Amino acid sequence: MGECVSLASCEILCVGTELLLGDTLNTNARFLSRELADAGFTLHRQAVVGDNPERLHRDFLTAWERSDFVILTGGLGPTADDITRETVCGALGIELVESPELLEAMQTFFCIRSLEMPKSNRRQAMVPVNAELIMQNSEFSERLSQKRDVINNSAFVFPNPHGTAPGIAITQNGKCAILLPGPPSEMEPMFRQSVRNFLAPWIDGILISHEVRTMGIGESAMAEAVADLLDGQNPSVAPYAKSGEALLRITAKAKTREEAEVLIAPVLEEIKRRLGGFIYGVDVPNVETVLLDKLCKAGKTLCTAESITGGGIAKRLTDCPGASKILLGSIVAYCNEMKQGLLGVSAKTLQENGAVSEQCAIEMAQGARKKIGTDFAISTTGYADGNEQLRANVALDSEAGTQVQHITFARNNRKANKLTAENTALWLLMQNI
Ligand code: ATP
């Protein structure tokens, strides 16, 4: 994992009252945060401001004062409440003029859709005076491959093949404001096709990160075990939780990949020393991929007998290419009759211990392994929500014997509890291959 890095600071300002009211989910902020982080920019803030010129003016200038890049989305449309272009250019003292080329491109946009262009759309042809209009991406890339000091104190207009509002970039005194349309269907392609190229001259280093994936330990326990390392700046170490797992991301900034790796190596070693037993991989996509790989190398096969997870384990495994050589089959036995009929769980167990008992999980795993004929079988049974005591049992059966693990769920959350049962079963298997 490695990306280029810019030491420039960056903030995102999304404009739109509908975002403030919660009518529209701010997916632009998420998209831009990820893209900017991938490009190596240091994102300092995100904010939302309604369609109010005074507040936008103030918030924009505050952001402009403290950051090198301010990226805005929304408010570039044709109606009176679309205020971004006028407000930002007003704040920067930039005059707007109508671009005949843009007006023509806009008329063509409507014409090929057999629509008449509403008069109000004319506003969208207003661009900063002397802005460079780039209607072809190849030409654009070439222009922007120049050094950033050459493109300082300029304005650029990004084409919008999916709508009528063009994007605008303004560079002034070493800073840059980028105005992008609100609709994600317009903003995202514009970012990928034009803005990325535009940002390239600001990127001048490398950012490397490694992701340490753990299981069997909660996020806070993991963070506690490495608490002193979390204060580091370069490399930085950040804990987070994802799909029921606790992860650590180690990130270093340096001039070259090699230098970044040298910074990371001792910290990664220390993390491995402290969390070794819980780490299932570094820079791996997920636990199921690692598990299938281990089983493949060991020449072993697997089947599942699932109740609470409803085939979720089998789904995750079959999402990985090449799973068919290892996962021979899966039985989803949800009701007692199926546990008995398909897996051979005894009537006595079901009556005396119940369907979510340890004994039932054991018999499910044993029954599946016998029926499907694999080296390993994992089973799950439990109550994911409702009024019962929320709990599950997962079992693993192999030539070496049968093991069972009990889980007590802390929350009444069906989805999260099912995921915990899946992960516990997969982790039990991982520790025993
Ligand atoms: P238009 O030309 O369509 O008016 P615009 O640049 O003026 O574009 P807005 O009017 O602010 O954009 O927003 C148009 C639509 O785009 C919104 O109704 C919403 O559906 C979507 N949108 C705007 N901002 C965001 C955002 N931050 N995240 C997700 N969707 C957004």
Side-chain angles (χ1 to χ4, degrees):
M1 288 189 186
E3 303 107 18
C4 293
V5 64
S6 159
L7 297 176
S9 61
C10 197
E11 25 193 308
I12 296 170
L13 189 52
C14 294
V15 186
T17 301
E18 79 280 8
L19 298 167
L20 271 187
L21 296 177
D23 290 340
T24 302
L25 188 65
N26 192 353
T27 58
N28 286 353
R30 185 179 65 175
F31 172 86
L32 288 171
S33 307
R34 286 183 177 163
E35 288 287 333
L36 292 166
D38 278 354
F41 280 83
T42 311
L43 187 66
H44 283 172
R45 281 183 185 83
Q46 331 177 327
V48 172
V49 59
D51 303 317
N52 176 293
E54 288 77 37
R55 280 194 289 274
L56 175 59
H57 181 97
R58 210 169 47 225
D59 288 2
F60 169 73
L61 280 183
T62 309
W64 183 252
E65 284 283 300
R66 65 189 170 202
S67 290
D68 300 315
F69 279 79
V70 183
I71 304 191
L72 300 101
T73 73
L76 296 181
T79 56
D81 63 353
D82 290 312
I83 52 164
T84 306
R85 189 187 308 97
E86 286 75 10
T87 308
V88 169
C89 289
L92 295 177
I94 289 172
E95 190 192 339
L96 286 165
V97 292
E98 187 176 85
S99 153
E101 292 99 320
L102 269 184
L103 192 60
E104 198 187 318
M106 232 181 280
Q107 277 157 344
T108 309
F109 178 91
F110 282 98
C111 185
I112 56 178
R113 287 164 178 80
S114 307
L115 296 167
E116 198 171 319
M117 187 176 110
K119 278 202 180 65
S120 58
N121 274 80
R122 236 186 135 110
R123 264 184 77 199
Q124 294 179 304
M126 299 296 285
V127 295
V129 65
N130 297 329
E132 184 162 344
L133 277 189
I134 315 281
M135 304 311 278
Q136 297 292 329
N137 272 319
S138 51
E139 182 196 331
F140 196 47
S141 305
E142 208 174 296
R143 170 74 181 90
L144 292 175
S145 61
Q146 297 172 25
K147 282 278 165 239
R148 61 188 186 225
D149 46 346
V150 180
I151 58 174
N152 199 7
N153 297 323
S154 325
F156 297 88
V157 175
F158 304 125
N160 183 353
H162 304 278
T164 51
I168 294 172
I170 299 161
T171 60
Q172 203 178 76
N173 304 328
K175 294 181 179 240
C176 180
I178 300 179
L179 284 58
L180 300 173
S185 59
E186 299 176 27
M187 192 279 291
E188 293 180 11
M190 187 183 287
F191 189 92
R192 293 200 169 108
Q193 286 160 24
S194 306
V195 182
R196 265 190 194 158
N197 285 338
F198 180 79
L199 295 174
W202 277 271
I203 297 168
D204 52 15
I206 193 125
L207 186 119
I208 299 281
S209 35
H210 292 301
E211 206 170 64
V212 181
R213 291 187 162 243
T214 71
M215 268 201 149
I217 184 168
E219 191 194 357
S220 40
M222 178 192 72
E224 241 169 64
V226 295
D228 52 320
L229 305 178
L230 303 183
D231 297 330
Q233 293 297 314
N234 196 16
S236 62
V237 180
Y240 63 106
K242 189 168 144 188
S243 307
E245 294 179 23
L247 283 76
L248 278 176
R249 178 177 282 149
I250 317 167
T251 306
K253 287 176 179 178
K255 280 277 164 222
T256 63
R257 171 180 288 272
E258 291 69 28
E259 283 175 35
E261 294 289 7
V262 167
L263 292 170
I264 290 174
V267 177
L268 180 56
E269 277 315 303
E270 184 57 21
I271 289 171
K272 283 183 179 168
R273 195 183 66 75
R274 295 193 202 177
L275 294 172
F278 300 106
I279 296 173
Y280 71 81
V282 178
D283 298 336
V284 291
N286 49 45
V287 67
E288 46 274 23
T289 308
V290 176
L291 204 52
L292 287 171
D293 195 45
K294 267 185 113 175
L295 287 166
C296 184
K297 284 186 182 134
K300 303 288 186 193
T301 55
L302 170 69
C303 67
T304 74
E306 304 188 47
S307 182
I308 184 174
T309 50
I313 299 177
K315 191 221 171 267
R316 283 168 64 176
L317 290 166
T318 54
D319 280 345
C320 306
S324 64
K325 290 193 201 80
I326 295 132
L327 181 77
L328 301 194
S330 175
I331 296 172
V332 178
Y334 213 46
C335 70
N336 284 1
E337 289 72 22
M338 291 299 128
K339 288 184 178 72
Q340 238 183 310
L342 294 175
L343 294 168
V345 175
S346 71
K348 184 169 174 278
T349 296
L350 290 170
Q351 255 164 23
E352 291 179 8
N353 306 73
V356 300
S357 62
E358 291 188 1
Q359 186 55 29
C360 183
I362 289 169
E363 289 179 31
M364 285 171 72
Q366 288 172 343
R369 193 164 84 89
K370 202 162 150 201
K371 187 151 207 163
I372 302 178
T374 52
D375 299 298
F376 293 100
I378 45 177
S379 68
T380 64
T381 182
Y383 293 123
D385 65 3
N387 298 323
E388 302 286 342
Q389 192 211 338
L390 302 180
R391 64 192 195 278
N393 281 293
V394 303
L396 166 70
D397 185 54
S398 72
E399 223 177 19
T402 315
Q403 293 182 51
V404 65
Q405 193 167 328
H406 181 77
I407 310 163
T408 305
F409 299 125
R411 288 176 299 155
N412 195 348
N413 181 328
R414 188 174 182 84
K415 213 169 153 193
N417 293 344
K418 287 177 74 173
L419 188 63
T420 302
E422 286 177 19
N423 285 344
T424 311
L426 291 169
W427 183 237
L428 182 62
L429 174 61
M430 179 83 91
Q431 291 167 297
N432 285 280
I433 301 169

